[in-house]
Amino acid sequence: SGAIAYPSLMSLKDGAISITDGTIGLAALTTIDGTSLSAGGGRTISLPQVVSYKSLRGTSLQATQPGSSIVLSGLRELVAGNAFGAVVTVSASGGGRIDLSSVTQVSGGNGDGQAVSFDVDGSGSVVDLSSLTDYHDYYDNGSHGWDQGLLRASNEIGRAHV
């Protein structure tokens, strides 16, 4: 296992960060709009300094396997932009954890093909949305989008903290 450090990188737009072995240092990264994140192999992507995330295309935040995590503890808003195909999928499975504990606002866009969805599957899997107070989605039909797939616990053992 090795280490990669980008101590001066402040912005990564429309990219991808994936880790399954080793470590990655991104201490200065504050902008990740449109960037997909994937953690596996018990590894962590920690970006507590990011406060906003917006995507104008299909992106994912994915943590799989026990001990794997994505930490976005400073994130306040999560937005799928107003473009067809702007879908953000947040998925914790197989014991993975995603910390979105400071997110207060989620916006799924204003038209067809735009959404933010949260999926939790498997023992020990967690997506923490404990501060969520405002969810907006074009498809909201009075039930706050819950029936449109905003949150899906695929396994009773997986938890989504809302």
Side-chain angles (χ1 to χ4, degrees):
S1 82
I4 298 175
Y6 298 101
S8 300
L9 182 65
M10 296 177 64
S11 177
L12 177 62
K13 294 183 179 180
D14 298 324
I17 299 170
S18 178
I19 187 167
T20 57
D21 194 17
T23 61
I24 188 165
L26 300 164
L29 190 60
T30 58
T31 303
I32 60 168
D33 289 346
T35 296
S36 290
L37 305 177
S38 176
R43 301 299 188 233
T44 296
I45 297 172
S46 183
L47 301 170
Q49 63 278 20
V50 174
V51 297
S52 176
Y53 181 91
K54 182 175 184 179
S55 184
L56 294 175
R57 60 185 188 90
T59 58
S60 64
L61 308 177
Q62 178 180 341
T64 61
Q65 300 173 327
S68 301
S69 63
I70 295 174
V71 178
L72 295 168
S73 56
L75 196 69
R76 303 281 186 260
E77 69 174 345
L78 181 59
V79 178
N82 292 325
F84 187 80
V87 176
V88 179
T89 302
V90 179
S91 175
S93 64
R97 301 177 62 89
I98 301 179
D99 181 350
L100 302 174
S101 59
S102 294
V103 170
T104 59
Q105 181 179 357
V106 171
S107 177
N110 293 314
D112 289 334
Q114 302 154 15
V116 177
S117 69
F118 299 90
D119 296 312
V120 181
D121 184 19
S123 177
S125 301
V126 175
V127 173
D128 186 345
L129 291 164
S130 55
S131 295
L132 184 63
T133 59
D134 185 24
Y135 171 72
H136 169 76
D137 186 12
Y138 174 77
Y139 297 108
D140 185 0
N141 62 2
S143 64
H144 306 292
W146 299 110
D147 62 335
Q148 298 297 326
L150 168 67
L151 175 65
R152 181 176 64 221
S154 302
N155 182 322
E156 293 294 325
I157 301 171
R159 297 178 298 155
H161 297 285
V162 180

